[in-house]
Amino acid sequence: MRGALVLMLPLVLAGCDSPLSTLTPAGPAARDIAGLWWVMLGGAAVLTLLVLVLLAMAFGPPRQVRARVWTHWLGLGLSFPVLGAMLAAGLWVGERVLPRDDGALQIKVHAVQWFWEFTAPSPDGPVTTRDRLILPAGEPVDLIITSSDVIHSFWVPQLGGKMDAIPGRENRLRLQADAPGRLAGQCAEFCGVGHAVMRFEVEVVEAGDWEEALRDAANDGDAEDD
Amino acid sequence: MTDSTAPGQQVATPADARDDTLAIAPNPPRRALGLHRRLSRVWANDPGWWGHVTAVNHTTLGLRFMGTALVFFLVGGVLAMLIRAQLATHDGAFLDTELYNQIFTMHGSIMMFLFAIPMLEGLAIYLLPKLLGTRDMAFPRLTALGYWCYLFGGLIMLTALLFGVAPRDGWFMYTPLSGATYSPGINADVWLLGVTFVEISALCAAVEITVTILRQRAPGMKLTEMPLFAWYMLGTSVMMLVGFPPLILASVLLEIERAFDWPFFAVARGGDPLLWQHLFWLFGHPEVYIIFLPAAGVLSTLIPVLCRTQIMGYGAIVASVLALVFLSFGLWVHHMFTVGIPHMALAFFSAASLLVAVPTVVQVFAWIGTMWQGRPQLVLPMYHILGFFLTFVMGGLTGVMLAVVPFNWQAHDTAFVTAHLHYVLIGGFVFPMMAAAVWWMPQITGRERVRGLGEAAFWVILIGFHGTFFIMHLTGLLGMPRRIDVYPDNPEWVWLNLTSSIFGFVMTIGFGLFVLDMALQAFMGQKQRRDPWRAPTLDWAMPLPAPPYTFASIPAPQHLDLPAREVITILARGEGLLPGAPRDRRELLTTSLGTARPDHVALLPGNTALPLGLASAIGGFVLLMLAGLYALTLLPLVLVAMLIWRWGRGMVRPVDDAPIEVAPGLSLPLQGWRRRTLGWTGSVCLLVANGTLFASLVFGIGFLALVASEWPGPEARVTSAALPWVAIAALMPVLGALAQRRSDALQRRGGDGSAAAGLGVVANSVAVAALAVLALGHMDDPTQHARDALRGVLAGYVALHALIGAGMAGFAMDQFRRAEITARHAGLLPVWRLWQDYAAVTALVAALLAVGLGMSA
Amino acid sequence: MRWLALSLVGPGIWAAGFVLVYALHGVGCARGWPAMGLAGALDLHAGALWAGWLVALGAGALLLLRLPRAKAEAGLPVWLPRVGAWIGLAATAFTLLPVALATSC
């Protein structure tokens, strides 16, 4: 597994300056999932190697082999523990990143062909920004995701998984950003000719500065008039 | 788990240990040339260009399916190259977005529906009769109909691409993007109608593959001893029967929504876009295994022969097929992990998606174990098999990763998934198919391969493939979504995409070499001696290239364990069953489902242009729908009904035939004497598919009623005044079933059941009339709400079935009148019975559902 | 025919159980079952799901126990029905495991 990691090193470096990379997480959910990926990659490398070695060893004189060893011990005995572990790991990480009813900050995300509207609560009333999501650092945020035309998908790869915006539904996604900075997001579900340019920026600010940043955004004219 | 050594030995059971009641004496040897000439005359296609139109022979049509699929593969490949050219730079100005969207949509649709599925159908149609020891598929005209539907549907889609009106919503056509509001124009209709047209061929193929495997195996070839390829194809065809109907239903519903504005997916009027996703993936995931299983069947056939041994774990492999057939229907939601479904529901499908890997792993290790116990020969098919192992194992592992919910949330809809699915489909289907092509080309062409070029093609494809797709995993993890045409702000993706594009062109060159290699073999190869691979299966027990009748005589139980090259002469000299064509008609032997005891002699129809006519009529319907001339579609529909009647008349057999002595001391009746003909078994298969369609509709109703946001809808204006008409519509098909039973009873007694059959016509017609009254006077406007639209669909479903029931009753009445139904000949009665019973049950269920959807007092 | 049908019973039990539990889950989430108490700490939703899972497991186990008594069709081996029963039971146990592990709605 370490070998696989070393092999992937240049690829990781290549990912460092990518604002949309899932491999440079900037939040706990993305970090958990990236960890899951590295472990699975290592396991996959080992299993691929195992199969290739067994294949290479097959080229030679006939051997006395027992069918049961191959179909039962390797076929069932190897696969069930691996798959069981993956199910457990997946469930564990999945449960960790799930939204909870703990009164976290809620920001509305509305997808339209082909832009994003983010509506955050503030003391001065809800502030709507277009293609620009402002998040407080270090705090869990629930995004309430909707659409009124076609299906889109909200995705900030450095923070966590994606969630579809589907007409007639309200989907909830919990994200948390570690530290102030600029991240990027995009639409991940094909939504017509503007799909490739349906992007938004994510501005993470110190939790204490969040309301201030919202107010600035409202005054900047980034905000919608309505 | 179970005693696996027992099944392993079953393959090798010597002939004398077989069920001794199945000892069949050999026919006396005759002059092989004489048999060959007469059989060829009876089974050959018509001469000249007309022969291409009327051909129904499985060898001809199997090759035609595969050849056409290859052409579509090349078209799909060219589209892929356009995609790769566009993505090679970050602001590709090569294609505009609209055209790019059409191209990737068509690339996916062509590769799935016009390449992979028809290719495997063609392989099965070409190969199964030869492998099972019979002379043709069960329903030759259906084979031809399927081909024409495939060709016409494919041409409609290609023509749309040429004129710039091809589908552009991605090959899974998510609503509302594919709905009338966001996809005006005919682009989406081309997909819905074209693909459904092509699916007719998939259903035709599924029905006849199932029947051929279950009923036409050589005598003594028990299910549990048949070649593994047949097990795989049985699994595949059953999956097609159950897997395609949800997609057909979804396509029909979406087309109705687009054409007539009945809401099924539109949220504001009680629809839900997720209904489309459920129905689509209920088809879409089994589809992957429908494509993989035949390829795995090829591997299980080739590997042991190439290693000069027997397959390891026959029983384990059959069990794996059984598990895959079922489990693959429990994973569809893993394509929907990001739509906002509760975690527990996701987890069910995550677990099922992980579990489905187990039977695949068992097969992979059975194959490697087989190679260990034998001596693998590193010849060209083995290259492709090794290419399969390398590619498919990696694709399978990324598949298992994608089954893990949180990882899927990140990787879903990115280039990672694109990479994964190409690893699975090219690894799991294209490499095995290339091995199959190399394997069976000598049989198809009767010629040897030209040395060298095939190996070069393999290496170029392998390097090109992995160069293209391996780094695409990383491209996806670095955040590149699917289906974008430009990425101006992401310079970090450029080198990845450029690399993929360059290697993509390398892969294309490889496929070009591969096709060139096949062409050289077909036109310039040396004459091939018989049985080049020294294979044990019956497909090589014939001269090369394969003659149209395949076997001069049907193999007897004692021939099944002999090597192919020993059986060739025995069968060619007519020592098997049913030798030659002494009655100058196409005859084959049917056997019992489990143990393959000889049952009866089936007569197959000869060359006819009827399939082309019927496919053209259906094509006329499709084109009129595309043109929006909905009123005119009645014309081709009437034509379809008339042609189907003629089709049925073509099945009628003379009633004065005596039993046929197929072997010394073994006389069998003709099919007319049996109630359970091949046609009957085929009808059961069709009803399984039909029942799945109905079940999908019921699921849709339940889903919308439970989940859609705008339910219950506006106050219904339907009142209890409609109830009597509902009752008539529901009960008349039941009366039809009673009339059918009366006809049956009269037939068994040798009486005249035409009056009873006439009652069946009346009963079904009254049901249709009652539904017409309901539709005209008692139902809410179906455009108002999904509830009313669903009621309309239920009514249409019952009406269609009653109409067909009336047609069948009329056909039986006609047969009574012509004295084609006698005490011994049941004619259409058994098939009518199946249909009428089904129509009665579904009419009752539909009535309950329609009433249960609620009405005002 | 009987033999082939018998081989499909095991996986069929899984299919039925899987559909049943998935449907119960969907209905329960739509109708607010998790908020309705059943007995002690057990809410109606969890109770229904557990019941569905246990019924499917029970049916699978019963099939496996009764299978040796079912007469196989003449000339066809019993291993396929038995393997089918095992497939059904294992699949029921594995795929419905989330009943015990995951957050329901």
Side-chain angles (χ1 to χ4, degrees), chain B residues 489-511:
Chain B
D489 304 327
N490 296 87
E492 76 276 15
W493 297 342
V494 172
W495 69 272
L496 294 162
N497 275 295
L498 185 62
T499 312
S500 287
S501 294
I502 291 170
F503 279 100
F505 282 94
V506 171
M507 177 165 57
T508 309
I509 293 170
F511 281 118

Side-chain angles (χ1 to χ4, degrees), chain B residues 436-737:
Chain B
V438 177
W439 189 260
W440 277 291
M441 271 301 272
Q443 184 181 58
I444 294 167
T445 61
R447 291 171 189 269
E448 275 181 16
R449 199 163 67 75
V450 180
R451 303 269 155 204
L453 193 53
E455 284 80 355
F458 165 78
W459 286 112
V460 176
I461 292 171
L462 188 79
I463 292 167
F465 172 82
H466 286 274
T468 308
F469 289 105
F470 187 73
I471 53 162
M472 205 180 277
H473 294 107
L474 180 65
T475 317
L477 292 174
L478 294 187
M480 182 165 167
R482 292 168 87 169
R483 299 172 173 181
I484 59 170
D485 56 336
V486 287
Y487 43 99
D489 304 327
N490 296 87
E492 76 276 15
W493 297 342
V494 172
W495 69 272
L496 294 162
N497 275 295
L498 185 62
T499 312
S500 287
S501 294
I502 291 170
F503 279 100
F505 282 94
V506 171
M507 177 165 57
T508 309
I509 293 170
F511 281 118
L513 290 175
F514 185 83
V515 173
L516 180 66
D517 184 36
M518 290 211 298
L520 285 180
Q521 178 171 6
F523 297 111
M524 295 172 62
Q526 300 282 316
K527 188 110 178 64
Q528 175 74 54
R529 64 189 164 78
R530 290 171 177 190
D531 188 16
W533 307 104
R534 295 153 50 79
T537 41
L538 285 170
D539 48 332
W540 295 101
M542 60 186 64
L544 303 181
Y549 56 85
T550 62
F551 299 100
S553 60
I554 308 291
Q558 62 268 29
H559 302 143
L560 297 181
D561 298 311
L562 300 175
R565 74 193 98 79
E566 289 176 33
V567 187
I568 294 179
T569 33
I570 298 176
L571 296 181
R573 287 190 311 206
E575 292 181 57
L577 289 77
L578 203 60
R583 287 159 292 276
D584 286 317
R585 57 191 189 192
R586 299 185 182 186
E587 294 176 345
L588 53 77
L589 201 67
T590 70
T591 49
S592 70
L593 193 142
T595 48
R597 295 162 172 281
D599 189 70
H600 66 263
V601 174
L603 302 187
L604 296 193
N607 302 320
T608 165
L610 199 53
L612 176 61
L614 186 51
S616 306
I618 302 171
F621 171 79
V622 169
L623 289 176
L624 287 171
M625 283 293 293
L626 272 179
L629 303 170
Y630 304 124
L632 289 181
T633 54
L634 274 179
L635 291 175
L637 287 181
V638 169
L639 191 60
V640 165
M642 285 163 57
L643 288 172
I644 289 176
W645 184 283
R646 275 203 61 186
W647 190 291
R649 291 296 311 161
M651 307 252 287
V652 175
R653 301 291 169 226
V655 294
D656 52 353
D657 264 324
I660 293 171
E661 189 171 59
V662 299
L666 179 61
S667 285
L668 293 179
L670 274 156
Q671 68 192 32
W673 296 34
R674 290 272 193 258
R675 289 183 72 86
R676 301 204 164 172
T677 56
L678 295 178
W680 185 87
T681 312
S683 303
V684 173
C685 296
L686 209 54
L687 286 183
V688 168
N690 196 344
T692 314
L693 185 107
F694 189 70
S696 307
L697 180 60
V698 174
F699 163 78
I701 293 171
F703 180 81
L704 287 185
L706 194 68
V707 172
S709 55
E710 300 302 315
W711 279 66
E715 178 80 3
R717 281 179 286 116
V718 191
T719 62
S720 50
L723 281 178
W725 297 105
V726 174
I728 293 174
L731 292 175
M732 278 298 138
V734 180
L735 180 63

Side-chain angles (χ1 to χ4, degrees), chain A residues 182-198:
Chain A
R182 282 186 173 275
L183 306 171
Q186 59 183 336
C187 175
E189 178 64 61
F190 178 64
C191 56
V193 287
H195 173 53
V197 297
M198 192 168 157

Side-chain angles (χ1 to χ4, degrees), chain A residues 110-113 146-152 165-169, chain B residues 176 182 267:
Chain A
H110 189 65
V112 186
Q113 277 182 330
T146 55
S147 160
S148 52
D149 44 43
V150 302
I151 299 176
H152 306 269
I166 301 175
R169 267 157 211 274
Chain B
Y182 301 100
V267 177

Side-chain angles (χ1 to χ4, degrees), chain A residues 80 83-84 87 91 95 98 100, chain C residues 90 94 97-98 101-104:
Chain A
F80 266 110
L83 297 172
L87 178 66
L91 278 173
E95 290 283 324
L98 232 46
R100 304 273 162 206
Chain C
F94 193 84
L97 209 55
L101 299 176
T103 305
S104 69

Side-chain angles (χ1 to χ4, degrees), chain A residues 100-135:
Chain A
R100 304 273 162 206
D101 292 319
D102 50 8
L105 172 67
Q106 291 203 341
I107 298 179
K108 290 192 174 125
V109 178
H110 189 65
V112 186
Q113 277 182 330
W114 289 275
F115 59 89
W116 298 90
E117 282 179 348
F118 302 98
T119 307
S122 82
D124 315 331
V127 175
T128 301
T129 50
R130 183 158 158 170
D131 288 340
R132 182 172 168 209
L133 171 63
I134 304 168
L135 293 178

Side-chain angles (χ1 to χ4, degrees), chain A residues 18 20 22 37 48 54 58 63 68 83 86 90 95 149 151 155 157 160 162 164 169 171 186 188-189 193 199, chain B residues 2 97 176 182 272 274 277 338-339 343 354 372 376 397 400 406 409-410 412-413 477-479 481 490 492 707:
Chain A
S18 171
L20 290 169
T22 63
W37 152 253
T48 308
L54 287 176
R63 292 190 183 82
R68 181 175 282 263
L83 297 172
M86 290 180 79
E95 290 283 324
D149 44 43
I151 299 176
W155 189 30
K162 52 185 78 68
D164 292 356
R169 267 157 211 274
N171 281 334
Q186 59 183 336
E189 178 64 61
V193 287
R199 299 201 163 187
Chain B
T2 180
T97 307
Y182 301 100
D272 191 327
L274 285 193
Q277 296 194 14
T338 63
V339 302
H343 195 225
L354 291 165
W372 275 53
L397 286 164
V400 169
W409 286 335
Q410 282 285 29
H412 177 68
D413 265 332
L477 292 174
L478 294 187
N490 296 87
E492 76 276 15
V707 172

